[in-house]
Amino acid sequence: MKALVLAGGAGTRLRPITHTSAKQLVPVANKPVLFYGLEAIAEAGITDVAVIVGSTAAEIQRAVGDGSQFGISVTYLQQDAPLGLAHAVLIAREFLGDDDFVMYLGDNFIVGNITSLVDSFRTERPDAQLLLTKVPDPTSFGVAELNAAGRVVNLEEKPKEPKSDLALVGVYLFTSAIHEAVRSIAPSWRGELEITHAIQWLIDEGRDVRSTTISGYWKDTGNVTDMLEVNRSVLETVEPVCLGTVDAESDIVGRVRIERGAKVSASRIVGPAIIGAGTVVTNAYIGPFTSVSEGCRIEDSEIEYSILLPDSSVVGVRRVAASLIGRNVEVTPAPRNPSEHRLILGDHSKVQISS
């Protein structure tokens, strides 16, 4: 069995962060979202993986390399334009051959692993196996309609009037039957070859399409709110470790991971939280559900429920919350004095905030 991982999207909903960085590499608990998917694929015993890349190909390749860090072998396939998930299957035809495969969207996050799903598929081999989950707003997703027997009878991409609240999770399993399906459909009104249309073609042809509804945690990390929520979920599993230095004037409460080379002085950190390697925290408060990447500086400031990317600084700011701050960002005081700041800053930004 092989895997097809999609990492070519532009990430428009995460701009300005994604103006200079691949959305699949934005970190959750200081690890790129994409890495969680690759680890889940490896854990399921799949080692032959193709990664679909687009305009951020060089960045994805630098981060993932040949896949050996995950115990897999990676082949890169270029998608010159975002022409849809079914188009990704088309361009991966030679790589996939006639093998069964799992298709995994690189910006999706699923708590746990996909091992049992893959094992079940290997045993029963339906033509397609879908993961579904209930969502409050189905209009933003591919939506499945089930009949009384629980079989998938209809799929619709981002419907204005959804027929159910069951959204397709970004993990699909296919036999080689999907190749005929993707060749048999036309582009949608969005100009894309939709995987939902290809699966609907299988259904209409009487092929065996099954679904599993999951109640566990799943997020499409395409926007800031969901990124912060996924970060919160992952930090809930953090084990307290101190590989850096913490002075006697500091107070570390709960599950806090302090990476090697980090320095904490005259500060209070309340977990769950992660402090990245080489980060310096001085006379500051870091609250729950905060991930601070490597090489950051937090001084005379308060920050919680936020993600800081590498080499950024927050100095002299009374409070930052629910924020996603990019690489090489400087956050400093300005004359005004609000009680709280919510920031979405791109890489290399400079912002003045009242203290």
Side-chain angles (χ1 to χ4, degrees):
M1 194 168 187
K2 293 177 180 176
L4 184 63
V5 177
L6 277 61
T12 54
R13 291 178 295 160
L14 275 175
R15 288 175 179 169
I17 298 293
T18 50
H19 278 308
T20 53
S21 177
K23 66 174 180 177
Q24 299 85 3
L25 297 181
V26 176
V28 168
N30 287 7
K31 181 165 67 176
V33 171
L34 176 61
F35 287 14
Y36 291 94
L38 295 176
E39 289 170 352
I41 288 167
E43 190 174 348
I46 301 171
T47 58
D48 203 359
V49 180
V51 177
I52 301 289
V53 292
S55 59
T56 58
E59 188 180 8
I60 296 289
Q61 291 181 40
R62 281 195 301 270
V64 176
D66 63 2
S68 57
Q69 62 179 308
F70 307 102
I72 60 178
S73 175
V74 171
T75 299
Y76 294 97
L77 301 175
Q78 184 73 39
Q79 187 179 38
D80 294 329
L83 298 176
L85 305 187
H87 180 261
V89 176
L90 272 179
I91 65 176
R93 182 67 177 94
E94 183 178 349
F95 167 82
L96 294 169
D98 291 327
D99 293 321
D100 298 347
F101 67 98
V102 56
M103 185 167 75
Y104 201 115
L105 305 193
D107 60 351
N108 276 225
F109 183 88
I110 300 173
V111 169
N113 57 54
I114 60 171
T115 302
S116 60
L117 180 72
V118 170
D119 289 344
S120 175
F121 183 84
R122 281 174 165 147
T123 300
E124 301 179 13
R125 298 193 71 246
D127 293 300
Q129 177 80 40
L130 314 178
L131 279 184
L132 307 176
T133 192
K134 291 187 176 183
V135 295
D137 180 18
T139 61
S140 299
F141 304 95
V143 175
E145 180 185 2
L146 308 184
N147 63 16
R151 302 283 292 187
V152 181
V153 293
N154 185 64
L155 297 173
E156 193 171 2
E157 188 67 31
K158 298 180 175 61
K160 292 182 180 179
E161 297 183 3
K163 296 178 181 178
S164 81
D165 60 355
L166 293 172
L168 275 73
V169 175
V171 178
Y172 310 79
L173 296 102
F174 297 114
T175 66
S176 60
I178 193 64
H179 297 301
E180 183 181 1
V182 298
R183 291 194 305 268
S184 302
I185 61 173
S188 67
W189 63 269
R190 301 193 302 170
E192 298 185 6
L193 291 176
E194 310 285 1
I195 197 66
T196 48
H197 291 179
I199 300 169
Q200 185 66 53
W201 185 91
L202 291 174
I203 295 170
D204 294 341
E205 291 292 313
R207 306 304 289 264
D208 187 4
V209 176
R210 304 182 189 180
S211 67
T212 300
T213 301
I214 63 172
S215 57
Y217 189 85
W218 166 77
K219 283 286 184 182
D220 171 0
T221 61
N223 61 57
V224 174
T225 300
D226 286 342
M227 283 294 302
L228 293 174
E229 176 61 19
V230 170
N231 189 64
R232 180 203 63 76
S233 177
V234 176
L235 287 178
E236 291 278 18
T237 67
V238 164
E239 295 296 331
V241 175
C242 183
L243 303 176
T245 59
V246 179
D247 73 358
E249 297 179 49
S250 296
D251 191 14
I252 308 299
V253 180
R255 301 189 306 279
V256 177
R257 181 178 180 89
I258 301 174
E259 300 288 3
R260 198 173 306 279
K263 297 180 180 179
V264 180
S265 58
S267 298
R268 179 178 173 86
I269 303 176
V270 178
I274 294 181
I275 310 301
T279 285
V280 176
V281 180
T282 306
N283 193 32
Y285 168 78
I286 297 177
F289 309 119
T290 302
S291 294
V292 182
S293 296
E294 65 270 16
C296 291
R297 176 187 172 209
I298 301 177
E299 183 176 344
D300 298 323
S301 300
E302 300 179 4
I303 185 167
E304 70 178 25
Y305 195 66
S306 294
I307 299 173
L308 275 72
L309 273 61
D311 303 312
S312 292
S313 63
V314 180
V315 178
V317 179
R318 185 169 67 183
R319 191 161 187 81
V320 174
S323 299
L324 173 58
I325 298 175
R327 296 169 175 82
N328 296 292
V329 171
E330 295 180 9
V331 184
T332 55
R336 296 181 63 189
N337 189 32
S339 60
E340 180 172 292
H341 312 284
R342 186 176 189 273
L343 308 174
I344 304 172
L345 302 176
D347 302 348
H348 308 288
S349 299
K350 293 186 180 181
V351 178
Q352 288 189 322
I353 295 179
S354 60
S355 59

